[in-house]
Amino acid sequence: MSQRQVLQVFEQYQRARAQFAQAVADLAARPQSIDTLQSAGVVCLLRPLLLDVVPSIRQTTALALGRLADYDVDLAEAVVKAGILPQLICALPEENRYYKRTAAFVLRAIAKHSPQLAQAIVQCGALEMLVICLEDFDPGVKEGASWAFGYIARHNPELSQAVVDAGAVPLLVLCIQEPEIALKRIAASTLSDISKHSPELAQTVVDAGAIAHLAQMIPNPDAKLKRQVLSALSQIAKHSVDLAELVVEAEIFPVVLTCLKDSDEYVKKNGATLIREIAKHTPELSQLIVNSGGVAAVIDCIGSCRGTVRLPGIMTLGYVAAHSENLSMAVIVSKGIPPLCVCLIEEHEDHIKAAAAWALGQIGRHTAEHARHVAVANVLPTLLDIYVDTRSSEDLKMKTKKALKNILQKCTYLPALEPLLHEAPPNIMKHIIGQFSKVLPHDSKARRLFVTTGGLKKVQEIKAEPGSLLQEYINTINNCYPEEIVSASFLHQAGNIFSVLTASLSPSCSWRC
């Protein structure tokens, strides 16, 4: 056999290996082929090819493994159990850029499924190799490494700390300064995943100088980049007053308010989330938002969108209003109550309704004036209807009950309270009757109206436990009227009520204020 014939055997073997790896990679991209590939033991057959002498075969094999691992957790576990990870990364620094990109894809595909699989990647020493990839000249290699770091860090604080300890954060901050938009997006997303777990991890990102560079990208026209930038700043700001103040000091206002008018709903949502995470901390930070026109912008945003996009804006109004009477009045003056009422009526998701109910409760809980503004918007009947609705979740019922209690305990606007007398359950009724018992002894006009509208009659129909707080309130109301007015015989004789009232309201009546 000639030398050429011998070499042909090896060439055929090489072509066969390349064809096999490419065919599997193509099949792995089709979900309908996955089960067949798995049953044929494809992972074990691919493993030796990762150490092939031909770079293109190694790269194609890695691509096939990445696609398989990306499909579901079982295949990802099979790749790990087959001992492929050490082979994948053993010579990574010496490999070409195409292999590095593909290897990072495999690591990302495995890490995304569970903390246990992400931990397996950490334990095999892959983080050090990924850091080397972050230092590569090729933007695609950096992007792949950033993406893998993000999938590892997002699971829990321990894995995120492992990413930090590997030295990835300063390099990720450098990545967000690169000109390539795709690399900026992934690096910002990874910084967000690292920051979200704890104040300490967020502080690490801050110490690397991330805030200033992230803030500069808020006006960027690329919607996907803005989503990630706003998310990263939100994850930093949420942890503490100090971190929130550092974000504010990067001069994100008023430019961040333009995001609330963006055509991309996720930009709107993430922009509102950032404002919410700042507003929740202190009255001073909420006041800064008010002064920059943030409350009005959030209210406009709530009115222009639907569903979960509204949620962070709703909560922002609640946080601002909760801090003080003045901030609550700023929400009222900016006409924040009507869109919150609309959310109670329009939205179908209970958690969004619950947030709107909570926000309205925070607005109305301060003073009688605040409660009156909420009451005249006809909020109370809506809250009551939601509370008594059997379809409402327990959390929604709890939030609406709390909101009703907050508003009712301050509300002295009786025309808004009286309709509730005919519908409210006992645990809400006591708060309504309590307000009447506070107002009626000091307001003669209100006392007259309370009789003519049937309110006093309704009070007499309430069955209260002797000695209970509700009974005390009822007694206080009854003491505002002559005995004959309170007696059931007069209350049920509609024809005589007017004459009784006329006599009772004469100047000589002792119960008149």
Side-chain angles (χ1 to χ4, degrees):
M1 183 178 288
S2 68
Q3 182 181 5
R4 180 174 178 80
Q5 289 175 316
V6 173
L7 291 175
Q8 280 181 339
V9 172
F10 285 92
E11 288 172 1
Q12 289 172 356
Y13 179 49
Q14 180 176 320
R15 282 197 298 272
R17 298 197 312 274
Q19 288 171 356
F20 175 75
Q22 186 62 59
V24 173
D26 292 340
L27 290 169
R30 304 169 189 167
Q32 63 270 26
S33 304
I34 296 294
D35 289 341
T36 305
L37 289 172
Q38 189 173 7
S39 61
V42 69
V43 172
C44 293
L45 294 173
L46 288 171
R47 180 183 172 182
L49 298 181
L50 271 181
L51 299 176
D52 201 278
V53 294
V54 181
S56 62
I57 293 177
R58 295 198 299 274
Q59 179 193 335
T60 307
T61 301
L63 176 61
L65 287 167
R67 287 175 175 173
L68 290 167
D70 192 55
Y71 181 73
D72 69 14
V73 66
D74 292 336
L75 277 166
E77 288 175 349
V79 171
V80 172
K81 289 176 181 176
I84 284 173
L85 291 179
Q87 292 180 220
L88 183 75
I89 65 172
C90 63
L92 194 60
E94 290 76 37
E95 293 284 359
N96 63 43
R97 58 180 176 171
Y98 302 107
Y99 181 86
K100 288 177 182 177
R101 291 180 192 177
T102 311
F105 167 59
V106 177
L107 296 173
R108 180 185 96 209
I110 294 171
K112 79 173 188 178
H113 292 291
S114 71
Q116 293 75 24
L117 288 169
Q119 185 62 44
I121 290 173
V122 174
Q123 289 173 344
C124 76
L127 297 189
E128 290 74 12
M129 296 299 102
L130 288 171
V131 166
I132 293 172
C133 290
L134 279 182
E135 297 172 326
D136 200 275
F137 288 108
D138 183 71
V141 174
K142 291 179 181 177
E143 183 183 336
S146 298
W147 213 337
F149 274 127
Y151 274 105
I152 294 167
R154 68 179 49 181
H155 288 295
N156 58 46
E158 291 74 25
L159 287 167
S160 189
Q161 187 63 54
V163 170
V164 170
D165 294 342
V169 171
L171 296 171
L172 289 167
V173 173
L174 289 175
C175 286
I176 63 175
Q177 301 171 59
E178 295 285 349
E180 290 81 14
I181 291 294
L183 178 56
K184 287 177 181 286
R185 289 176 191 158
I186 301 304
S189 174
T190 302
L191 289 171
S192 176
D193 287 327
I194 294 170
S195 301
K196 72 181 182 181
H197 296 291
S198 70
E200 293 76 20
L201 288 165
Q203 188 65 55
T204 302
V205 172
V206 171
D207 292 342
I211 289 179
H213 299 295
L214 290 168
Q216 289 171 2
M217 291 188 284
I218 293 175
N220 194 289
D222 184 78
K224 291 181 180 178
L225 176 58
K226 281 197 284 190
R227 293 179 192 175
Q228 303 304 333
V229 166
L230 294 167
S231 174
L233 290 171
S234 300
Q235 298 295 356
I236 293 170
K238 76 179 185 181
H239 292 292
S240 69
V241 176
D242 291 340
L243 289 170
E245 288 177 345
L246 288 173
V247 172
V248 170
E249 287 168 7
E251 299 181 354
I252 64 167
F253 290 102
V255 65
V256 71
L257 302 181
T258 61
C259 297
L260 302 182
K261 297 181 180 179
D262 200 277
S263 58
D264 185 280
E265 289 199 338
Y266 289 100
V267 172
K268 281 185 181 181
K269 184 178 181 180
N270 290 0
T273 301
L274 174 55
I275 297 169
R276 179 194 72 193
E277 298 300 349
I278 293 169
K280 73 180 185 183
H281 289 294
T282 64
E284 291 75 20
L285 287 170
S286 281
Q287 188 64 59
L288 184 147
I289 292 169
V290 171
N291 294 345
S292 65
V295 167
V298 168
I299 291 168
D300 289 343
C301 179
I302 293 172
S304 66
C305 54
R306 297 289 182 273
T308 56
V309 181
R310 279 175 160 172
L311 188 57
I314 292 169
M315 296 184 69
T316 299
L317 297 184
Y319 280 127
V320 171
H323 284 303
S324 70
E325 294 178 14
N326 290 338
L327 287 168
S328 181
M329 190 54 69
V331 175
I332 293 170
V333 171
S334 299
K335 300 181 180 178
I337 295 175
L340 291 174
C341 299
V342 170
C343 292
L344 285 177
I345 298 168
E346 282 188 355
E347 292 298 334
H348 302 293
E349 297 290 335
D350 279 6
H351 68 283
I352 302 176
K353 289 185 176 184
W358 170 79
L360 288 164
Q362 298 307 309
I363 294 170
R365 72 180 180 87
H366 294 285
T367 68
E369 184 180 3
H370 292 82
R372 180 186 178 109
H373 281 288
V374 176
V376 297
N378 204 34
V379 169
L380 297 176
T382 304
L383 288 173
L384 186 59
D385 288 343
I386 294 172
Y387 176 66
V388 299
D389 192 337
T390 55
R391 295 169 296 178
S392 297
S393 67
E394 288 303 313
D395 180 66
L396 178 55
K397 288 184 178 182
M398 182 182 72
K399 293 289 195 311
T400 50
K401 178 184 176 182
K402 182 67 174 175
L404 281 165
K405 181 179 176 181
N406 285 343
I407 299 164
L408 290 172
Q409 287 180 337
K410 294 295 181 179
C411 186
T412 57
Y413 183 61
L414 301 188
L417 297 182
E418 197 161 322
L420 304 183
L421 287 172
H422 303 279
E423 302 174 14
N427 59 340
I428 301 298
M429 184 69 75
K430 66 181 179 182
H431 300 298
I432 301 168
I433 299 299
Q435 293 308 104
F436 280 104
S437 72
K438 293 176 187 177
V439 176
L440 291 177
H442 311 290
D443 190 332
S444 58
K445 182 179 179 182
R447 289 199 298 274
R448 295 189 193 98
L449 289 172
F450 196 56
V451 177
T452 57
T453 57
L456 184 59
K457 176 179 179 293
K458 180 62 182 175
V459 168
Q460 306 314 306
E461 297 172 357
I462 297 172
K463 301 293 187 291
E465 290 289 332
S468 65
L469 190 60
L470 178 56
Q471 186 61 60
E472 290 181 20
Y473 291 151
I474 293 172
N475 292 339
T476 301
I477 293 172
N478 289 343
N479 291 337
C480 295
Y481 298 93
E483 186 177 347
E484 62 270 22
I485 292 292
V486 178
S487 65
S489 59
F490 278 90
L491 288 172
H492 285 284
Q493 292 175 14
N496 295 334
I497 285 179
F498 181 78
S499 60
V500 171
L501 281 174
T502 304
S504 300
L505 298 179
S506 63
S508 61
C509 282
S510 60
W511 61 280
R512 179 176 171 160
C513 290

